[in-house]
C-alpha cells in the first residue's frame, strides 16, 4: 500500500509531523520480510566551478560487469540533452551491477540556485530488506534493489535528478565544451552516483551548530572521524555530530582504501557546512586534480569533461554492498526486543528486534542458546535459522546481544514444537511462478504463471496423465505476442461450456503498464490490449469511461457470467478500481467500480492494490482493499476491505465494507483472497493494529453468503502473516515470516495451523489451490521454482 497521486496533498500536510516523528524514531530490525521504507529528502549537488582553459579529462575507470538496465523518464528535456544524458546512463549501466531495472525520473528546469548545475537523490530508502548487509541502516532504492534482487517499490523511481536548464551547456553533443561551457554528461555521471548511494543523509543547523542524522545509510556507516567513530553512530541531533560534519571525515571501506593507494579517502567537509555538498563528495582540494577520481568532487569546472565515475567512486559504491566495519562501542548492549521462536521442519526460526541502544552499542553478534540441549549459535542479524532439531519435541531459546565490552541479559523465547512440512514437487523448474492463477478448463486443471527471468507468461494444462506447458505470450513478440516483460499480476477465467470452453487470460505488460488479454480455445491463442493504451490519463472522477493511458499493471481479477466476460483492475495513476465488460457486442465497455466518490456507498479511498473476483451464476463479487490515510513513510495508517457485488447485466454495484478501522484494527487489507465453495463464497484478508503500523498481525475471514460474522486467526508461533493468501473451502494458505503455512477455517473451534514449507520466499508471490486426479495441491513458488505442494 503506497502513495498515489490523490494522496500527495496528504503527504505534504504530514511532512512537518513526519519530520518531528523522525527525530523520535528508533529503527528496529523486524524479522524479514518486514521491510521498512522511508522517503528520501536530502539531495547531492554538482556545483558550477569557474571558467577554465579547455580541459578534457579521460577517465576510463574500472567497470563492473554490465548487468544493469536504466530506464529514464524525461520531463521537459530538449532532444540534445537527452543524448548527453543517455551517454551517462550507458556509462553507469556498465559500472553498476543490478538485476533489477533502475528507473530514473529526470527533470529539466530552472534551478533555484544558479550555481547548482544538477542535483539528485534516491527515490526512497529501505531498511531490513532481505540480504541487507546491515538491517539497521537505510539503503537507497537502487542499491537496496540490487542487493535484495527484487524491486522493493515498483511504484516510485529509484533515482530523482534535476538539471539546471539555464546553465551554459555545451549543446553540440561533442563532449568538447569551451572554457565557459559545462558538459551535461559529466554532470549526470556525477548525479547518478549520488542517486546510486554516494550520499549522506545528514543535515546541519547553522544557528545551533547541531548535526542531524536520523536515517543513517551505509555511506554514513563507512564514514568515520579520525579517531574511529562512525558518523552513523554519533548522537542525533547533537553538537558532537555537528562538529564531526565540519571537520575531517574519511572513508573506511576496504575497496575504497585499496583504490586510493592504501590511504583512507578524505571526504569534503569544509568548516562552514555546505548543504548538498558537505560529506557527500570526495574532498575538493585532495581530488580535484586527480583526473580519474575528480568526478565525485563537489564542483565541475567549465570545460571539464569526465568519461566515467572513476575507480575510487566505483570502489566506494561497491563497499556499500558489504557490512560496514564496526565502530567504537560506547556501552554494553541492551537485550534484544520482541524475541520469538517460530515452528519449522526439524528446525526453528528465531526472530527479534534490535536492542534499543543498537546504534551506539556496536553489536558484533547475537548468541542463541537452545535451552533443551544447551547448544549455542552465533549470528549477525535476525532471523536466525536453527536446524538439527527433532519434530514433535518442544524447544525454547535464549537470545543475547554481544559487543566488544560484553553481553546483554539473555531473553527467553516462547516454546515451539517443530513439525513436518508438506511434500513439494517442481511443476516447472525453469520458471519461478511468482504470479499465478488456476482454474478448471474442459474438466482438467489449468495454471497460468509467469517466468520472471525471461519475462514470459506460460500455461500448464493437465491432460489426465501429464502437464502440457505452453508459452502464452512473450519471447519473440510475433503473431500478436509482445516481447515486453510480462512477469506481473495475472487472472484466469473460463467462458463457454464443454468442448467450446475458452480460457480467458488477463495479464500485465510491465513495460507499457498495460492490461493484456489472451484467449485460448485449446488450439491457438489470440491477443489484445484491454486498457492502458488510451490517448490520455482520465481524471479519477470521470464518470464516462474510455480507455485510459494510466498505469493498469498493479492488479487484475476476472469473472465470467452468461452476460459476458468481466475484468477488474487498479488504475495506479489515479488510485481507483476500473472494470471492463465484453458481452454480445464483442466490444469492451469501460466503467469505474470504486474509489471516485462517497456517493452511492462508494469511497474516496485508494482502492484495488489487492484484488480478487468470483462469479456464482449471474452474481459477480469483487473483493479489494481501500487505503484511507497514509503517513510520511508511504505506509497505510487506516484502511478497509470492501466488497462490490452486482447481478446479471446490471450496471449498478452494491457496496459493503467488510472490515475496517475499529477497535484493535487500524488497517484491513494488504492481501485479500476470495473463493467459492459448496458452502458459499469465502473471503479472507490481513489486518494490522495501530501498534503494528503497516505490518499485518492477523488473518480475518468470513463467508459472505452465510453470515456477517468475521473470524480471526492468530498466527502466534508461526510468524507474521503475509502474502500469498489463498482460501479454499475450509483451508487457508498464507505467508508466515517469509515461509508458507496453512490454517483450518472454523467459526466455532480454534483453527489448526500447519507448516507448508520451510523454504524462505525472497519476495511477494501468489498461490492458488488446484485439484489433480482428486488430490488437492497448492500451486506456488518455492525456491524460485513453480511447485505443487501437498500434505
Amino acid at each position: 500500500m503506497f502513495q498515489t497521486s490523490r494522496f500527495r496533498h496528504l503527504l505534504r500536510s504530514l511532512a512537518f509531523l513526519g519530520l518531528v516523528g523522525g527525530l523520535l524514531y528508533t529503527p528496529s530490525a523486524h524479522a524479514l520480510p518486514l521491510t521498512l521504507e522511508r522517503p528520501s529528502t536530502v539531495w547531492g549537488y554538482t556545483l558550477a566551478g569557474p571558467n577554465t582553459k579547455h580541459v578534457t579529462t579521460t577517465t576510463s575507470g574500472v567497470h563492473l560487469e554490465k548487468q544493469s538496465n536504466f530506464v529514464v523518464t524525461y520531463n521537459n528535456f530538449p532532444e540534445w540533452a537527452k543524448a548527453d544524458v543517455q551517454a551517462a546512463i550507458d556509462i553507469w549501466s556498465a559500472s553498476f551491477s543490478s538485476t533489477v531495472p533502475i528507473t530514473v525520473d529526470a527533470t529539466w528546469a530552472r534551478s533555484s540556485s544558479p550555481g547548482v548545475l544538477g542535483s539528485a537523490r534516491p527515490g526512497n530508502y529501505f531498511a531490513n530488506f532481505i540480504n541487507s548487509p546491515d538491517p539497521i541502516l537505510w539503503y537507497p532504492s537502487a542499491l537496496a534493489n540490487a542487493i535484495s534482487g527484487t524491486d522493493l517499490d515498483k511504484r516510485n523511481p529509484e533515482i530523482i535528478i534535476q538539471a539546471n536548464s539555464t546553465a551554459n551547456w555545451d549543446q553540440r553533443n561533442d563532449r568538447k565544451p569551451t572554457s565557459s561551457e559545462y558538459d551535461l554528461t559529466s554532470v549526470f555521471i556525477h548525479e547518478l552516483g549520488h542517486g546510486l548511494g554516494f550520499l549522506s543523509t545528514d543535515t546541519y543547523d547553522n544557528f545551533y551548530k547541531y548535526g542531524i542524522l536520523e536515517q543513517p545509510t551505509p555511506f554514513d556507516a563507512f564514514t568515520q572521524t579520525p579517531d574511529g567513530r562512525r558518523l552513523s553512530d554519533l548522537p542525533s541531533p547533537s553538537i558532537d555530530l555537528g562538529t564531526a560534519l565540519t571537520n575531517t571525515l574519511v572513508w573506511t571501506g576496504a575497496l575504497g582504501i585499496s583504490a586510493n593507494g592504501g590511504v583512507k579517502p578524505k571526504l569534503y567537509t569544509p568548516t562552514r557546512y555546505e548543504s548538498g555538498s558537505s560529506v557527500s563528495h570526495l574532498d575538493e582540494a585532495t581530488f580535484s586534480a586527480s583526473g580519474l577520481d575528480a568526478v565525485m568532487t563537489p564542483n565541475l569546472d567549465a570545460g571539464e569533461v569526465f568519461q566515467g565515475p572513476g575507480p575510487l567512486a566505483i570502489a566506494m559504491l561497491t563497499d556499500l554492498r558489504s557490512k560496514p566495519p564496526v565502530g567504537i562501542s560506547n556501552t554494553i548492549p541492551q537485550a534484544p526486543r520482541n524475541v520469538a521462536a517460530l515452528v519449522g521442519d526439524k528446525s526453528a526460526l528465531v526472530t527479534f528486534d534490535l536492542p534499543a541502544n543498537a546504534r551506539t552499542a556496536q553489536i558484533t553478534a547475537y548468541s542463541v542458546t537452545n535451552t533443551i540441549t544447551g547448544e549455542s549459535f552465533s549470528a549477525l542479524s535476525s532471523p536466525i535459522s536453527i536446524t538439527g532439531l527433532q519434530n514433535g519435541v518442544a524447544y525454547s531459546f535464549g537470545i543475547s546481544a554481544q559487543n566488544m565490552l560484553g553481553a546483554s541479559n539473555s531473553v527467553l523465547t516462547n516454546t515451539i514444537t517443530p513439525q513436518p512440512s508438506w511434500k513439494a514437487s517442481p511443476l516447472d523448474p525453469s520458471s519461478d511462478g511468482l504470479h499465478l492463477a488456476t482454474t478448471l478448463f474442459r474438466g482438467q486443471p489449468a495454471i497460468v504463471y509467469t517466468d520472471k527471468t525471461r519475462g514470459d507468461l506460460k500455461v500448464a494444462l493437465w491432460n489426465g496423465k501429464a502437464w502440457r506447458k505452453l508459452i502464452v505470450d512473450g519471447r519473440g513478440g510475433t503473431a500478436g505476442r509482445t516481447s515486453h516483460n510480462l512477469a506481473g499480476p495475472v487472472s484466469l477465467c473460463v467462458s463457454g461450456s464443454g468442448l467450446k470452453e475458452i480460457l480467458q487470460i488477463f495479464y500485465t505488460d510491465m513495460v507499457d503498464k498495460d492490461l493484456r488479454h489472451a484467449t485460448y480455445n485449446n488450439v491457438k491463442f489470440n491477443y489484445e490490449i484491454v486498457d492502458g493504451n488510451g490517448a490520455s490519463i482520465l481524471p479519477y472522477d470521470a464518470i464516462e469511461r474510455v480507455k485510459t493511458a494510466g498505469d493498469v499493471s498493479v492488479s487484475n481479477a476476472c469473472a465470467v457470467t452468461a452476460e459476458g466476460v468481466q475484468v477488474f483492475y487498479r488504475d495506479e495513476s489515479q488510485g481507483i478500481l476500473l472494470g471492463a465488460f465484453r458481452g454480445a457486442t464483442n466490444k469492451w465497455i469501460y466503467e469505474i467500480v470504486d474509489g471516485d466518490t462517497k456517493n452511492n456507498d462508494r469511497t474516496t479511498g485508494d482502492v484495488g492494490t489487492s484484488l480478487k473476483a468470483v462469479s456464482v451464476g449471474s452474481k459477480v463479487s469483487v473483493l479489494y482493499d481501500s487505503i484511507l490515510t497514509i503517513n510520511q513513510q508511504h505506509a497505510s495508517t487506516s484502511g478497509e476491505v470492501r466488497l462490490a457485488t452486482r447481478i446479471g447485466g446490471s450496471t449498478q454495484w452494491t457496496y459493503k465494507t467488510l472490515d475496517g478501522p475499529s477497535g484493535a484494527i487500524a488497517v484491513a487489507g494488504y492481501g485479500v483472497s476470495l473463493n467459492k465453495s459448496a458452502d458459499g463464497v469465502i473471503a479472507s484478508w490481513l489486518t494490522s493494529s495501530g501498534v503494528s503500523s503497516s505490518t499485518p498481525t492477523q488473518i480475518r475471514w468470513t463467508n459472505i453468503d452465510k453470515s456477517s460474522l468475521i473470524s480471526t486467526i492468530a498466527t502466534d508461533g508461526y510468524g507474521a502473516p503475509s502474502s500469498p493468501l489463498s482460501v479454499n473451502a475450509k483451508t487457508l494458505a498464507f505467508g508466515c515470516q517469509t515461509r508458507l503455512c496453512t490454517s483450518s477455517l472454523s467459526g466455532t473451534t480454534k483453527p489448526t495451523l500447519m507448516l507448508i514449507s520451510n523454504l524462505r520466499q525472497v519476495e511477494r508471490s501468489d498461490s492458488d489451490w488446484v485439484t489433480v486426479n482428486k488430490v488437492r495441491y497448492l500451486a506456488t513458488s518455492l525456491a524460485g521454482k513453480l511447485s505443487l505442494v501437498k500434505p
Side-chain angles (χ1 to χ4, degrees):
M1 297 183 174
F2 297 89
Q3 169 192 0
T4 61
S5 58
R6 292 195 295 133
F7 278 92
R8 287 174 185 152
H9 70 283
L10 176 61
L11 282 180
R12 285 194 292 269
S13 67
L14 290 172
F16 175 75
L17 291 176
L19 175 61
V20 174
L23 298 179
L24 303 176
Y25 178 75
T26 301
S28 61
H30 295 280
L32 297 173
L34 307 182
T35 299
L36 305 176
E37 179 178 4
R38 278 191 166 187
S40 174
T41 58
V42 176
W43 297 76
Y45 295 157
T46 302
L47 299 180
N51 294 351
T52 64
K53 295 181 180 180
H54 183 69
V55 176
T56 298
T57 302
T58 301
T59 58
S60 57
V62 179
H63 297 317
L64 303 177
E65 62 180 276
K66 188 172 183 178
Q67 291 184 338
S68 58
N69 175 35
F70 286 73
V71 180
V72 185
T73 298
Y74 292 101
N75 302 306
N76 203 35
F77 267 74
E79 290 303 316
W80 73 263
K82 292 180 183 179
D84 274 11
V85 172
Q86 188 60 51
I89 292 292
D90 292 343
I91 289 168
W92 271 112
S93 67
S95 305
F96 186 86
S97 177
S98 178
T99 59
V100 181
I102 301 167
T103 55
V104 180
D105 187 272
T107 299
W108 182 261
R110 181 189 298 270
S111 173
S112 59
S113 175
V116 175
L117 296 174
S119 56
R121 64 170 175 82
N124 287 296
Y125 283 91
F126 297 90
N128 200 47
F129 53 88
I130 195 162
N131 297 328
S132 172
D134 192 328
I136 199 173
L137 298 175
W138 295 87
Y139 288 74
S141 297
L143 182 61
N145 289 351
I147 294 172
S148 67
T150 186
D151 193 341
L152 297 172
D153 182 358
K154 296 180 174 66
R155 297 159 179 81
N156 292 295
E158 278 68 58
I159 299 175
I160 310 292
I161 295 183
Q162 297 178 354
N164 187 353
S165 61
T166 64
N168 188 28
W169 300 107
D170 169 15
Q171 301 183 21
R172 298 177 299 276
N173 301 126
D174 59 3
R175 305 297 314 280
K176 296 179 180 179
T178 68
S179 59
S180 62
E181 294 175 331
Y182 295 95
D183 179 59
L184 184 60
T185 298
S186 295
V187 170
F188 263 77
I189 292 172
H190 178 111
E191 294 304 328
L192 286 168
H194 285 316
L196 292 170
F198 202 107
L199 186 69
S200 172
T201 56
D202 66 82
T203 57
Y204 184 80
D205 187 308
N206 283 295
F207 183 80
Y208 291 105
K209 310 300 181 184
Y210 269 54
I212 302 170
L213 184 58
E214 294 303 321
Q215 189 173 295
T217 69
F219 187 94
D220 299 313
F222 279 105
T223 298
Q224 288 188 359
T225 61
D227 61 1
R229 293 176 299 160
R230 303 194 314 178
L231 194 65
S232 60
D233 301 333
L234 298 178
S236 174
S238 71
I239 292 178
D240 191 22
L241 178 57
T243 300
L245 296 177
T246 52
N247 284 276
T248 299
L249 290 172
V250 294
W251 185 261
T252 57
L255 297 177
I257 294 172
S258 177
N260 196 43
V263 178
K264 295 179 180 178
K266 186 178 180 182
L267 301 179
Y268 181 64
T269 53
T271 55
R272 182 174 179 82
Y273 184 88
E274 297 177 8
S275 179
S277 293
S278 287
V279 186
S280 297
H281 293 86
L282 293 172
D283 184 57
E284 181 76 24
T286 304
F287 294 100
S288 62
S290 64
L292 292 174
D293 296 318
V295 68
M296 289 312 294
T297 58
N299 300 328
L300 176 73
D301 292 341
E304 192 172 20
V305 174
F306 296 104
Q307 304 297 339
L312 178 54
I314 292 175
M316 292 170 70
L317 284 173
T318 307
D319 276 329
L320 299 180
R321 298 175 186 244
S322 61
K323 187 175 178 62
V326 175
I328 297 175
S329 302
N330 295 325
T331 182
I332 293 176
Q334 296 178 16
R337 297 170 296 167
N338 300 324
V339 300
L342 308 178
V343 173
D345 184 353
K346 299 180 181 179
S347 65
L349 196 64
V350 175
T351 70
F352 53 88
D353 287 350
L354 298 183
N357 68 339
R359 184 165 166 178
T360 56
Q362 291 301 297
I363 295 168
T364 56
Y366 294 92
S367 177
V368 180
T369 301
N370 186 326
T371 60
I372 302 299
T373 66
E375 187 177 4
S376 294
F377 310 87
S378 182
L380 298 178
S381 63
S382 170
I384 302 171
S385 180
I386 309 297
T387 59
L389 306 181
Q390 296 183 42
N391 289 337
V393 176
Y395 295 91
S396 62
F397 306 89
I399 309 172
S400 64
Q402 301 174 337
N403 69 4
M404 300 299 293
L405 301 178
S408 72
N409 293 330
S410 181
V411 183
L412 192 64
T413 71
N414 56 297
T415 300
I416 56 96
T417 303
Q419 61 182 228
S421 57
W422 290 12
K423 298 177 182 178
S425 302
L427 175 57
D428 188 343
S430 65
S431 299
D432 49 44
L434 290 178
H435 297 279
L436 62 83
T438 72
T439 191
L440 282 178
F441 177 55
R442 303 193 178 187
Q444 297 290 356
I447 306 174
V448 169
Y449 57 98
T450 59
D451 181 342
K452 180 181 177 181
T453 301
R454 286 176 287 273
D456 292 338
L457 181 69
K458 297 181 177 180
V459 61
L461 301 167
W462 180 254
N463 62 13
K465 295 182 179 180
W467 292 98
R468 180 166 62 107
K469 304 180 189 72
L470 304 172
I471 294 177
V472 176
D473 200 354
R475 191 182 298 179
T478 59
R481 291 177 175 171
T482 178
S483 59
H484 289 173
N485 176 18
L486 303 176
V490 300
S491 56
L492 184 60
C493 296
V494 173
S495 62
S497 60
L499 296 179
K500 292 186 178 181
E501 279 190 347
I502 295 176
L503 272 181
Q504 305 283 344
I505 307 169
F506 295 91
Y507 54 103
T508 49
D509 182 328
M510 301 304 291
V511 177
D512 289 341
K513 307 300 183 182
D514 295 338
L515 176 65
R516 293 180 64 87
H517 176 221
T519 58
Y520 181 63
N521 62 3
N522 212 33
V523 177
K524 68 175 183 177
F525 293 97
N526 289 307
Y527 307 92
E528 65 177 327
I529 298 175
V530 176
D531 207 352
N533 62 337
S536 62
I537 297 177
L538 300 182
Y540 72 87
D541 54 356
I543 302 299
E544 297 297 326
R545 308 299 300 189
V546 294
K547 279 190 175 183
T548 180
D551 177 357
V552 293
S553 66
V554 172
S555 62
N556 63 76
C558 63
V560 174
T561 65
E563 288 73 26
V565 178
Q566 305 176 54
V567 61
F568 311 98
Y569 47 98
R570 171 179 166 83
D571 182 345
E572 175 71 6
S573 305
Q574 300 294 328
I576 54 179
L577 180 59
L578 300 179
F581 169 80
R582 184 160 71 184
T585 64
N586 206 34
K587 293 182 179 180
W588 289 108
I589 299 173
Y590 299 92
E591 64 178 321
I592 182 167
V593 178
D594 203 358
D596 62 326
T597 175
K598 288 185 178 179
N599 297 328
N600 302 318
D601 294 324
R602 290 184 175 181
T603 179
T604 56
D606 187 353
V607 296
T609 302
S610 299
L611 175 64
K612 294 293 182 181
V614 299
S615 60
V616 179
S618 61
K619 182 179 180 180
V620 173
S621 300
V622 184
L623 185 70
Y624 51 97
D625 66 328
S626 174
I627 304 171
L628 301 178
T629 59
I630 58 175
N631 61 17
Q632 180 74 5
Q633 284 74 47
H634 297 192
S636 175
T637 53
S638 66
E640 58 190 12
V641 168
R642 291 176 60 80
L643 179 71
T645 58
R646 70 177 172 196
I647 297 176
S650 171
T651 60
Q652 298 299 316
W653 289 95
T654 299
Y655 301 95
K656 182 179 181 181
T657 297
L658 293 184
D659 200 8
S662 64
I665 295 176
V667 182
Y670 305 103
V672 301
S673 183
L674 193 67
N675 214 324
K676 55 187 176 184
S677 69
D679 294 329
V681 176
I682 310 297
S684 63
W685 58 92
L686 303 173
T687 67
S688 72
S689 65
V691 175
S692 68
S693 183
S694 59
T695 303
T697 55
Q698 62 186 12
I699 304 170
R700 306 258 281 174
W701 70 274
T702 188
N703 186 327
I704 64 175
D705 292 331
K706 290 289 185 73
S707 170
S708 59
L709 175 67
I710 296 176
S711 299
T712 301
I713 300 173
T715 59
D716 298 342
Y718 289 81
S722 63
S723 67
L725 193 65
S726 182
V727 65
N728 178 274
K730 294 298 183 180
T731 307
L732 182 138
F734 61 96
C736 50
Q737 210 77 20
T738 72
R739 303 163 303 152
L740 282 174
C741 295
T742 183
S743 172
S744 62
L745 299 184
S746 174
T748 57
T749 60
K750 184 177 180 180
T752 299
L753 274 64
M754 296 178 62
L755 179 70
I756 292 179
S757 176
N758 238 7
L759 296 174
R760 302 185 60 219
Q761 305 300 297
V762 297
E763 62 181 289
R764 186 185 182 99
S765 61
D766 293 333
S767 67
D768 208 351
W769 298 97
V770 59
T771 299
V772 182
N773 293 346
K774 299 183 179 181
V775 178
R776 191 179 64 165
Y777 296 85
L778 184 71
T780 191
S781 177
L782 291 181
K785 301 175 183 178
L786 176 65
S787 302
L788 296 179
V789 292
K790 66 175 183 177

